[in-house]
């Protein structure tokens, strides 16, 4: 009984935090239609700022609280709304998602610049050391604070929404987002207030949560994912249900900790909120197909013909063969890494660029592929590559399944849950990557030819990329590709023509994750071994953002994005002052996407043409005048020079 | 062919449709008119399954389809266009129609070559000239014709048109009327929502008038024109002269 009570108190206290952060999400979502993936990162930033002010600068707690929660956080929220979100109303989910994810990564990047992640920090509990005895158990003052604050926030939110004019305006939107989206998004001031409020709630949750876990940038940012499940319970609109969801999750978690045997608990505990999210998604009723919502921001690039793509592919492989014989082993590895990333990004071109669906688990599928390659058929056989592809394809279907009936955002959340769940339950399992978490992956022999050598393997990799690129373009020109574009641009119209949206999405999800799995076989082969930290969800985000920045609807975009990412470790070494360069770079790049949603490679073709004209003014007659299409880039060297 | 029986749709506290009963029959154009916000588009959404009714049922060829998904209903050869355009903007006009043909080939046992069918339809709706333009770059009137062509691609028995004439000039409107009449003569059931009442009066055999979600009149064009309720609903508006 005592234990039961104790876990109940812990559960309620944590549940209150989930409820706080989730209600912040709901408030911003309902008034602007944008699901703020950076919510957790804002909470993290605020917790660190609070730590800086109190622990480092010695401010009294009350003053720091006022500064952070009433000034800095609301200002940050309002700023985000003014500068970014305002322009995104009605934009497609893949656009808003990439931009808020960009903020998330950028905030992590900024935080690592200010607060060295290597240094341990901790935030003391409120009223540390004090506790009271209630019945037979001790309750810490911090827990009491958490519960009191949540109750207070709930009451204040209610008063605010029902008693103030701006609150009433917000509520009109909260009650019926459908109607609000019909009449255009909420007026600007309402949206700004809601973003300010959302950021303050995120900050509050962060500050209350930080003392219970360590003050860790990534950990704090990701803990908010637990709040997602609560927000889903309220179906992103009902605040009371959201609070209930938060409490239910907190209680379920605490009692699971209290009752599960330790060996299961070790695996299951971190994944519990993820399972909860998965379950809630499964239980959500099918949403109506919205009519007339998505604003088409993408300019459609011309699709290369079969002949063009064959020629470009052959050229690419020829250049790769030359490079393979001249590059030093180190550079060859860097280039190979770039091509592997390009292959992963190509899978996103298919999924996100063409079909408009978003996966936040692409690295997970890569991991599944690497695992299959390393484990099956002797660890270095051609059959292993096939197993990698098939297994990852199945994993993709499983990741998408709970939310496949729902709209893009839920599907993305489902893949996020899948990625987090797989990290905790699968990759961290010692049976998967072996003891020490490292699995050896060999390079294959194909038809008696060995590709163990660095050069041969690099050429094989480039041939694979070229074939996949040609394949993706062929797909795009064919009926399936057309269906994907049609589905992206109007799911409602597709349904009224008799298209089964669920099956189509499932097909493209499987195909895309299968391609990521194929890339995984090469990822493992290139490095010789893989480890559990290689397939973190955050890496998937970086990949998604970089390919969005480089151009998510072209093969060139994937190639450029991949090579850029491949170069990051090298650049990083020369910039030790910015510890998470890839996060900062990808994040800021994605945020800047608001300006050119097609990515920077969409400008490359026209620019080259212009440059050519400038260089040879009298000669334009012999040049056929057509702009070179940026679908397959000529060679990696051209790329790196373009980046300089 | 189609009957929507005592359909209610409630948004919050207001009824967008209330006890609306509408039928459409083979080989004729049935007009559906009413002032803005009368519930016409909502009725189309209910028929095609994009909106679940609060009450009432929809039958197609006598079969109750009220609980079927949109794509299953479409496979019973029900096609529609949208008032707020739902074209595949980055595809060309021809590709819009082609992809619809290809989707149909997935669920319909047919040996027709989608490309041939697409070209036929392109000719039929008069878009041959602009077939290779991306639809995003087209004026609204033409984009509406693309939607019409796309709907025809699944060889519908029942065609729901939501203001196909807006954005067309008078000669194009004439062409549209001609086309709809021909389609009806070939046996299609057409339910036409249109603000151009003159066009509706001319080509419809039967007309329903909706106001505040209710059917306030139903009959031949002549009967509807003389109906006092209709004149009251349209008082001051452009209509039944
Ligand atoms: N998703 C929705 N949520 C809430 N109210 C809605 C929704 N869709 C439509 N309505 C309301 O239902 C009523 C009927 O709308 P509907 O679009 O069906 O009218 P309509 O006859 O097509 O009008 P119009 O001639 O302007 O196209 C309107 O008052 C509208 O505001
Ligand atoms: Mg309408």
């Amino acid at each position: 009984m005592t234990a039961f009570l104790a876990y109940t108190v812990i559960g309620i206290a944590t549940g209150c935090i989930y409820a706080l952060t989730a209600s912040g999400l709901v408030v911003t979502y309902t008034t602007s239609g944008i699901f703020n993936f950076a919510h957790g990162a804002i909470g993290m930033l605020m917790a660190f700022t609070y730590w800086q002010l109190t622990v480092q600068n010695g401010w009294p707690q009350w003053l720091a609280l006022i500064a952070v929660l009433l000034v800095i956080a609301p200002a940050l929220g309002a700023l985000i709304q003014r500068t970014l979100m305002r322009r995104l109303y009605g934009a497609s989910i893949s656009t808003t998602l990439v931009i808020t994810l960009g903020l998330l990564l950028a905030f992590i990047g900024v935080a690592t610049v200010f607060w060295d992640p290597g240094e341990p920090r901790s935030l003391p509990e409120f009223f540390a050391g004090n506790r009271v005895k209630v019945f037979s158990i001790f309750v810490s003052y911090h827990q009491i604070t958490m519960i009191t604050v949540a109750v207070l926030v709930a009451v204040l939110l209610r008063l605010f929404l029902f008693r103030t004019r701006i609150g009433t305006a917000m509520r009109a939107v909260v009650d019926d987002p459908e109607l609000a989206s019909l009449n255009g998004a909420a007026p600007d001031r309402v949206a700004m207030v809601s973003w300010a409020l959302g950021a303050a709630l995120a900050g509050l949750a962060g500050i209350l949560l930080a003392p219970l876990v360590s003050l860790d940038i990534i950990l704090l940012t990701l803990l908010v994912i637990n709040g997602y499940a609560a927000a889903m319970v309220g179906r992103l609109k009902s605040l009371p249900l959201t609070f209930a969801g938060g409490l239910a999750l907190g209680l379920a978690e605490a009692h699971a900790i209290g009752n599960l045997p330790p060996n299961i608990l070790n695996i299951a505990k971190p994944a519990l909120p993820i399972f909860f999210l998965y379950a809630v998604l499964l239980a959500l009723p099918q949403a109506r197909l919205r009519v007339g919502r998505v604003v088409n921001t993408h300019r459609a690039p011309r699709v290369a013909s079969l002949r063009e793509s064959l020629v470009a592919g052959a050229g690419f492989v020829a250049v790769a063969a030359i490079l393979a014989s001249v590059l030093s082993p180190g550079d060859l590895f860097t280039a190979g890494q770039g091509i592997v990333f390009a292959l992963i990004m190509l899978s996103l071109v298919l999924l996100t660029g063409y079909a408009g669906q978003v996966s936040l688990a692409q690295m997970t599928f890569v991991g599944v592929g690497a695992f299959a390659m390393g484990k099956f058929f002797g660890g270095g056989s051609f059959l292993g590559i096939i197993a990698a592809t098939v297994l990852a394809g199945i994993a993709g279907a499983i990741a998408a399944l709970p939310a496949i009936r729902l709209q893009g955002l839920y599907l993305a959340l489902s893949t996020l849950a899948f990625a987090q769940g797989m990290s905790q339950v699968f990759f961290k399992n010692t049976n998967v990557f072996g003891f020490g978490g490292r699995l050896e992956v060999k390079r294959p022999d194909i038809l008696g030819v060995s590709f163990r050598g660095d050069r041969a393997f690099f050429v094989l990799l480039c041939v694979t990329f070229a074939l996949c690129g040609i394949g993706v373009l062929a797909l795009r020109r064919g009926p399936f590709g057309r269906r994907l574009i049609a589905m992206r641009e109007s799911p409602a119209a597709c349904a009224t023509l008799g298209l089964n949206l669920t099956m189509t999405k499932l097909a493209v999800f499987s195909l895309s994750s299968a391609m990521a799995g194929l890339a995984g076989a090469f990822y493992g082969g290139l490095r010789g071994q893989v480890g559990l930290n290689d397939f973190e969800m955050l890496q998937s985000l970086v990949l998604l953002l970089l390919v969005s920045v480089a151009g998510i609807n072209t093969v060139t975009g994937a190639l450029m994005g991949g090579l850029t990412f491949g170069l990051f470790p090298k650049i990083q070494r020369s910039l030790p002052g910015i510890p998470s360069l890839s996060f900062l770079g990808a994040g800021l790049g994605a945020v800047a996407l608001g300006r050119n949603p097609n990515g920077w490679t969409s400008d490359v073709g026209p620019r080259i043409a212009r440059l050519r004209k400038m260089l040879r003014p009298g000669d334009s007659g012999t040049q056929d005048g057509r702009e070179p299409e940026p679908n397959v880039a000529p060679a990696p060297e051209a790329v790196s020079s373009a980046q300089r | 062919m189609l009957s929507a029986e005592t359909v209610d749709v409630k948004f919050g506290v207001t009824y967008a449709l209330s006890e609306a009963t509408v039928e459409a029959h083979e080989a004729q154009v049935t007009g559906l008119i009413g002032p803005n916000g009368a519930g016409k588009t909502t009725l189309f959404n209910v028929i095609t399954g994009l909106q679940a009714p609060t009450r009432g049922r929809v039958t197609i060829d006598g079969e109750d389809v009220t609980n079927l998904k949109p794509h299953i209903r479409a496979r019973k050869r029900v096609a529609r266009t949208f008032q707020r355009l739902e074209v595949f903007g980055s595809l060309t006009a021809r590709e819009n129609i082609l992809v619809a043909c290809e989707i149909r080939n997935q669920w319909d046992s047919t040996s027709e070559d989608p490309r041939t069918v697409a070209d036929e339809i392109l000719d039929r709706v008069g878009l041959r000239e602009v077939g290779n333009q991306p639809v995003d770059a087209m004026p609204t009137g033409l984009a509406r014709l693309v939607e019409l062509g796309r709907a025809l691609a699944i060889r519908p028995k029942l065609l729901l048109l939501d203001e196909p004439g807006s954005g067309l000039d008078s000669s194009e409107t004439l062409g549209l009327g001609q086309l709809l009449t021909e389609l009806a003569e070939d046996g299609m059931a057409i339910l036409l929502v249109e603000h151009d009442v003159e066009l509706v009066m001319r080509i419809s055999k039967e007309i329903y008038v909706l106001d505040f979600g209710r059917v306030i009149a139903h009959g031949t064009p002549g009967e509807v024109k003389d109906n006092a309720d209709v004149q009251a609903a349209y008082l001051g508006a452009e209509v039944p002269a």
Side-chain angles (χ1 to χ4, degrees), chain A residues 214-381:
Chain A
S214 63
L215 200 61
D216 179 280
I217 293 175
I218 307 271
L219 187 71
L220 273 181
T221 303
L222 293 188
L223 266 176
V224 169
I225 291 177
N226 300 352
Y228 290 177
M232 289 301 129
V233 172
R235 296 180 59 191
L236 284 174
K237 51 183 173 187
S238 158
L239 285 172
L241 276 180
T242 301
F243 264 87
L247 285 181
L249 176 57
L251 283 170
E253 204 181 5
H255 282 291
I257 293 172
N259 293 309
L260 287 179
N263 56 339
I264 297 185
L265 187 65
N266 277 342
I267 302 175
K269 190 205 151 197
L272 261 174
I274 302 300
F275 292 145
F276 197 82
L277 176 57
Y278 228 56
V280 176
L281 283 173
L282 263 177
L284 277 182
Q286 171 144 32
R288 234 159 39 75
L289 278 172
R290 295 245 173 86
V291 183
R293 250 204 45 185
V294 170
V295 176
N296 202 2
T297 42
H298 290 249
R299 176 159 42 92
R302 198 182 68 87
V303 182
S305 70
L306 179 62
R307 218 181 71 93
E308 285 168 318
S309 58
L310 283 177
V311 169
F316 174 73
V317 170
V319 173
I322 298 172
L323 279 181
S325 57
V326 296
L327 285 184
S328 71
D331 287 343
L332 206 55
F333 180 81
T334 303
Q337 187 118 299
I339 304 290
V340 171
F341 288 134
L343 193 54
I344 305 170
M345 290 179 181
L346 192 59
S347 73
L348 287 169
V349 168
L350 186 64
L351 183 70
T352 311
Y354 294 171
Q357 309 295 317
V358 184
S359 156
L360 306 180
Q362 225 59 7
M363 275 319 269
T364 309
F365 306 135
V366 173
V368 170
F371 165 77
M373 183 69 185
K375 270 271 160 74
F376 303 144
F377 305 108
S381 102

Side-chain angles (χ1 to χ4, degrees), chain B residues 35-42 44 80 82-84 162-163 193 195:
Chain B
N36 286 343
K40 306 177 295 287
T41 301
T42 306
F44 273 19
R80 71 171 289 182
F82 295 85
Q83 179 183 0
R84 290 171 65 181
D162 203 343
E163 304 195 8
V193 167
H195 276 300

